[in-house]
Amino acid sequence: MKIENILATKGMQVHTILPDRTIKEAARLLLQYNIGALVVVDDTGRPVGILSERDIVHAAARTDAILAQKVSAVMTQHIITGTPHDDIRSVERTMTDKHIRHIPVMDQGQLVGIVSIGDVVKAQLEQYAGEVDTLQTQITQG
Amino acid sequence: MTQPGTESNPLRVAIIGSGPAAFYAADHLFKQNNLVIEVDMYDRLPTPFGLVRGGVAPDHQKIKSVTKVFDGIASNPRFRFFGNVEYGVHVTLDDLKDHYHQILYATGAQTDRRMGIPGEDLKGSHPATEFVAWYNGHPDFRNCQFDLSVESVAVVGVGNVAIDVARMLCLTPEELAETDTADYAQAALKNSRIKEVYVLGRRGPAQAAFTNPEIKEIGELAGADAFVRPEEAQLDELSRAEVDSSKDRTLVKKVEMLQELARRQPTGKARQLTIRFLVSPVELIGDESGRLVKMRLVKNALYKTDAGTLSPKATDHFEELPVGLVFRSVGYRGVPLPGVPFNDRWGVILNEKGRVIDPNTQQPIVGQYTSGWIKRGPSGVVGTNKPDSVETVMCMLEDLQKGSILNPAKPSWSDAEQWVKQRQPRYVSYADWQKLDQIELERGKAQGSPRVKFTRVEDMLAALGR
Ligand SMILES: Cc1cc2nc3c(=O)[nH]c(=O)nc-3n(C[C@H](O)[C@H](O)[C@H](O)COP(=O)(O)OP(=O)(O)OC[C@H]3O[C@@H](n4cnc5c(N)ncnc54)[C@H](O)[C@@H]3O)c2cc1C
Ligand SMILES: NC(=O)c1ccc[n+]([C@@H]2O[C@H](COP(=O)([O-])OP(=O)(O)OC[C@H]3O[C@@H](n4cnc5c(N)ncnc54)[C@H](OP(=O)(O)O)[C@@H]3O)[C@@H](O)[C@H]2O)c1
């Protein structure tokens, strides 16, 4: 199973924000779209970071003036990007080993999606559940 | 007006397609004890079950028995089947909106993905999708021609479909007789002169998509010796590290099984089935008449992507493999349905968790849903469609709660039936299908096979006296 199978059921829109926007704006977007992270992109659309709820909580614990801060000051800069053809199994390992929760997905230079560790785990669990179900059916019906 | 879902005002749902995704969705709808829900299921074929009938290999009868579960779902008095009725031909979206509160598309992946290399369309190069549909007696593919008089065949890809195709090419006449392979295909396969079958993987043994029971089966064929080249069974350093540190027992076992095949000596069976690794076809080459005679392969090496996948990269080593027939088994692909937004990048209906999305507003379209391969892409076994369809049905129920459903003018079973009759007088009901099923099973019994399939729509209708 590949990353594209996860992205297939996530619509087309990738929620992004520019680095010079404020955390307040970011928080509004997170709430509005009911998501856990935004991809931070420069004016050319290239990902330069990820801003997650967690990043905001961490920053809030450090400073009171969090809402007025720029996204670029709070985001996680070191990002690992994936492609639609990455194997879900390998991506899960990379995310666990490197403690990453979100991976923006690039296809031919274009940002086409974002997957979270939750997405990756859910896909694996459903695959597993499906295999078990199929085996059970073969035993009980066959 | 009260919200639909009651005895006097049932929630009316149309499901397009009758494969696993369709049946699992119907099942979950029927499980809602507090709601009265009616399901009308449509299929372009007179026969239900999608790829369980037309994809799953005919020598895998055990998995086909999942149709008993589907029969159970269809026995619900609020279930109707309209077979031989195609969305986009006999019925349109506007029609459906007239009769249903919710519409679910579960049309599967109807075509193949392309490799994108020169010579792909030479005579002798076929998508595995067609071969699979042909040996399974799908009426649209019964007239396909495959030249089985050649000696060597390559199957591109190392998924379970590629293994199905390779195995079917190696079955002995005795083995074939125990399957429900279409009669014309049995005849053709019995006369096959194929001696060498190559299955080509672009990555290594540790990245092969096929599953372990399939390798075991390949190693136990009556009519073919299975091999892996010892040098290709060896893991490269990156794969070695991945497998050694993996807690995935099945992966470790897969590599062991493939390495065991690499230690085998020929036992003199009539055919040889070789699984190759780390090679990609770069060109299919034909003779003057445009018939495939060989393929050019490039040797690959693996590198690690940023996200951790071991991916193939071409080296500058090439080889030529003489083959008269190629089956491209690099994946299925969904096709758009008229009036339904499509996400061309992934080959699926544009959706979020099964809610069809309007590409302009990026918002869900009221009353339209999707599940199965046309929702998430062509991956997963029969059972994988269950959690997938449950997710979609949860969205449907949530939207019903919110009152966000269609407002059909004629939401009744009798109206729907009348209208379908007008559009397709020769529609097939579930009871009709069960008659066909009985005939197929009886014909099978007479000759000692699981069933003898109808492979022409006309024959099916004639058997029903239409
Ligand atoms: C070759 C092959 C072998 C497989 N073998 C196995 C196996 O051994 N074990 C296993 O567990 N899984 C197997 N699978 C996987 C399994 O078949 C799929 O997971 C499953 O069938 C997908 O279900 P679906 O309902 O999404 O699509 P499908 O099963 O493809 O069903 C789609 C249905 O929609 C209908 N349809 C399409 N367009 C229209 C239209 N316009 N109007 C009306 N109806 C329409 C089609 O006729 C079809 O009946 C195999 C898959 C393939 C391709
Ligand atoms: N017995 C069973 O349970 C059974 C039988 C049949 C099918 N199924 C299921 O049905 C689903 C579909 O099966 P599938 O075999 O069609 O798909 P699949 O499992 O996705 O396999 C596709 C194969 O094609 C290869 N491939 C893709 N593009 C290629 C290219 N350009 N060149 C060379 N190789 C390429 C892939 O290699 P990479 O990995 O390198 O991309 C992979 O080996 C699977 O989930 C499968 O498990 C199950």
Side-chain angles (χ1 to χ4, degrees):
Chain A
M1 231 187 345
K2 309 224 166 179
I3 290 299
E4 63 188 299
N5 297 114
I6 292 180
L7 293 182
T9 65
K10 293 186 71 163
M12 234 164 40
Q13 213 176 10
V14 196
H15 299 291
T16 59
I17 192 163
L18 292 166
D20 60 356
R21 294 297 153 83
T22 64
I23 294 300
K24 180 158 183 161
E25 285 171 276
R28 245 192 236 131
L29 290 175
L30 290 173
L31 198 65
Q32 180 184 342
Y33 296 118
N34 188 26
I35 49 175
L38 293 163
V39 184
V40 187
V41 293
D42 64 15
D43 342 319
T44 67
R46 193 176 60 93
V48 293
I50 296 259
L51 181 75
S52 68
E53 291 169 329
R54 233 182 128 73
D55 293 325
I56 299 180
V57 171
H58 273 270
R62 286 195 307 266
T63 161
D64 288 338
I66 172 77
L67 292 180
Q69 281 203 334
K70 289 221 165 117
V71 165
S72 55
V74 174
M75 70 184 190
T76 302
Q77 268 183 27
H78 180 69
I79 51 168
I80 288 180
T81 59
T83 76
H85 313 297
D86 272 307
D87 296 322
I88 292 182
R89 188 166 46 106
S90 314
V91 172
E92 183 181 25
R93 259 188 94 163
T94 304
M95 292 177 100
T96 330
D97 289 352
K98 303 198 170 164
H99 307 288
I100 320 170
R101 285 156 192 268
H102 296 93
I103 287 201
V105 184
M106 306 290 292
D107 192 16
Q108 289 157 359
Q110 210 185 332
L111 176 67
V112 294
I114 174 170
V115 296
S116 70
I117 184 81
D119 295 332
V120 168
V121 170
K122 172 171 172 270
Q124 306 249 73
L125 279 178
E126 289 187 353
Q127 184 186 25
Y128 182 69
E131 279 165 12
V132 170
D133 191 272
T134 298
L135 278 177
Q136 270 169 354
T137 308
Q138 293 187 52
I139 293 163
T140 53
Q141 306 292 326
Chain B
M1 205 181 75
T2 61
Q3 204 177 38
T6 61
E7 202 61 54
S8 59
N9 184 19
L11 180 78
R12 303 249 325 130
V13 178
I15 300 184
I16 313 299
S18 65
F23 274 98
Y24 288 130
D27 188 37
H28 204 62
L29 285 165
F30 287 146
K31 280 192 178 137
Q32 308 309 310
N33 290 328
N34 52 340
L35 289 170
V36 179
I37 302 180
E38 294 180 350
V39 172
D40 291 356
M41 192 180 281
Y42 292 80
D43 205 287
R44 53 186 297 273
L45 292 179
T47 53
F49 310 144
L51 285 170
V52 174
R53 181 177 167 99
V56 172
D59 62 336
H60 280 177
Q61 287 298 317
K62 253 197 161 156
I63 177 67
K64 295 207 188 231
S65 64
V66 69
T67 58
K68 290 185 203 156
V69 175
F70 301 157
D71 278 338
I73 299 165
S75 69
N76 189 307
R78 299 187 196 279
F79 176 92
R80 295 285 186 307
F81 180 61
F82 290 115
N84 205 23
V85 182
E86 181 165 359
Y87 175 91
V89 175
H90 305 104
V91 303
T92 66
L93 177 55
D94 284 337
D95 297 330
L96 293 173
K97 284 183 178 167
D98 244 8
H99 293 91
Y100 299 98
H101 298 102
Q102 295 183 320
I103 305 160
L104 171 79
Y105 307 104
T107 48
Q110 298 294 309
T111 187
D112 63 296
R113 207 189 261 204
R114 300 195 44 97
M115 294 191 301
I117 60 169
E120 200 164 349
D121 294 314
L122 281 174
K123 254 182 276 163
S125 160
H126 307 272
T129 51
E130 287 181 6
F131 186 60
V132 163
W134 172 79
Y135 65 58
N136 271 313
H138 190 301
D140 293 359
F141 297 89
R142 70 178 316 285
N143 293 322
C144 289
Q145 300 282 339
F146 305 98
D147 182 0
L148 303 173
S149 70
V150 302
E151 280 205 355
S152 282
V153 181
V155 185
V156 184
V158 284
N160 279 335
V161 173
I163 295 292
D164 277 355
V165 167
R167 199 181 60 249
M168 286 300 294
L169 289 168
C170 289
L171 292 188
T172 61
E174 297 71 44
E175 285 170 321
L176 273 171
E178 289 169 10
T179 70
D180 64 357
T181 307
D183 45 11
Y184 55 79
Q186 288 207 28
L189 288 165
K190 281 177 187 163
N191 289 322
S192 151
R193 299 222 202 103
I194 291 167
K195 288 208 171 72
E196 297 271 359
V197 178
Y198 298 96
V199 183
L200 309 179
R202 62 176 165 183
R203 298 192 283 166
Q207 292 80 33
F210 49 63
T211 41
N212 296 359
E214 276 60 36
I215 313 176
K216 182 161 181 283
E217 245 182 315
I218 286 286
E220 295 169 350
L221 287 170
D225 283 317
F227 296 109
V228 175
R229 291 187 176 181
E231 68 275 20
E232 290 180 353
Q234 284 311 315
L235 297 189
D236 61 291
E237 260 173 51
L238 289 171
S239 299
R240 181 82 267 163
E242 194 174 86
V243 173
D244 284 349
S245 63
S246 169
K247 294 186 200 80
D248 184 352
R249 279 294 309 155
T250 3
L251 174 63
V252 175
K253 181 85 191 153
K254 179 185 286 181
V255 172
E256 279 171 16
M257 291 172 86
L258 291 166
Q259 291 180 338
E260 192 269 317
L261 291 184
R263 289 192 293 273
R264 290 203 182 174
Q265 298 299 322
T267 66
K269 291 180 183 168
R271 295 189 170 117
Q272 295 211 347
L273 193 168
T274 309
I275 309 177
R276 299 278 317 263
F277 291 106
L278 290 165
V279 285
S280 284
V282 286
E283 186 182 358
L284 303 187
I285 301 163
D287 60 14
E288 317 77 61
S289 69
R291 262 215 61 84
L292 174 74
V293 289
K294 59 184 174 185
M295 69 201 297
R296 199 167 143 78
L297 302 175
V298 67
K299 184 100 193 129
N300 293 327
L302 296 179
Y303 74 99
K304 198 171 191 156
T305 65
D306 291 347
T309 302
L310 300 188
S311 274
K313 193 160 72 186
T315 66
D316 51 10
H317 292 282
F318 294 87
E319 68 175 285
E320 279 182 356
L321 187 69
V323 284
L325 200 54
V326 163
F327 293 109
R328 311 180 311 257
S329 183
V330 297
Y332 281 59
R333 190 177 158 84
V335 297
L337 293 171
V340 186
F342 195 67
N343 190 336
D344 202 47
R345 194 185 288 278
W346 316 127
V348 299
I349 290 176
L350 180 59
N351 78 93
E352 252 176 62
K353 294 189 180 154
R355 286 188 177 98
V356 180
I357 298 294
D358 180 335
N360 298 316
T361 62
Q362 304 290 340
Q363 294 301 310
I365 300 179
V366 173
Q368 295 192 51
Y369 304 87
T370 179
S371 77
W373 279 17
I374 194 61
K375 166 190 175 186
R376 68 173 192 281
S379 131
V381 293
V382 167
T384 319
N385 300 292
K386 197 189 236 179
D388 183 274
S389 287
V390 167
E391 176 183 64
T392 300
V393 169
M394 295 310 273
C395 293
M396 294 167 76
L397 297 171
E398 206 179 294
D399 294 348
L400 170 67
Q401 277 290 313
K402 288 193 226 142
S404 174
I405 52 172
L406 294 166
N407 186 13
K410 300 171 205 151
S412 84
W413 148 246
S414 53
D415 277 317
E417 191 197 20
Q418 258 183 28
W419 148 77
V420 171
K421 241 187 201 148
Q422 246 173 31
R423 295 300 173 78
Q424 171 54 305
R426 303 211 291 173
Y427 82 82
V428 169
S429 69
Y430 209 77
D432 292 337
W433 150 246
Q434 286 174 316
K435 276 184 217 147
L436 296 175
D437 188 33
Q438 269 313 312
I439 301 174
E440 289 189 346
L441 291 171
E442 275 159 27
R443 297 197 305 193
K445 217 181 237 163
Q447 64 171 59
S449 73
R451 74 168 65 228
V452 177
K453 284 182 177 176
F454 287 101
T455 61
R456 286 191 190 88
V457 173
E458 284 310 314
D459 295 350
M460 300 181 202
L461 297 174
L464 293 169
R466 306 280 166 81

